[in-house]
Amino acid sequence: MEQNIKRLPTHCGDETCPSCVIAGDYIYLAHHAGGFERREIRHQMRVTFERVKSTLAAAFRRE
């Protein structure tokens, strides 16, 4: 059985570290962080979740 595997580029521009890998019905997320310009956990978490949301939106557009 051959499975189609897709890798989406990361937010930091490093081609060796995809932001997610889509394999069959599964989406594996990786390398999401941000907001380090401020030392405030709420800001950092908000930016991180916005990046996760963006990655998931891109993953569903590709399917």
Side-chain angles (χ1 to χ4, degrees), residues 1-15:
M1 176 173 93
E2 186 176 319
Q3 198 171 46
N4 191 13
I5 297 175
K6 301 175 193 172
R7 292 171 177 81
L8 272 63
T10 189
H11 299 284
C12 67
D14 184 348
E15 294 181 20

Side-chain angles (χ1 to χ4, degrees), residues 32-38 43-45 47-48 51:
H32 289 82
F36 298 116
E37 68 279 358
R38 290 172 42 187
H43 172 72
Q44 293 174 4
M45 293 304 298
V47 172
T48 299
R51 290 185 177 176

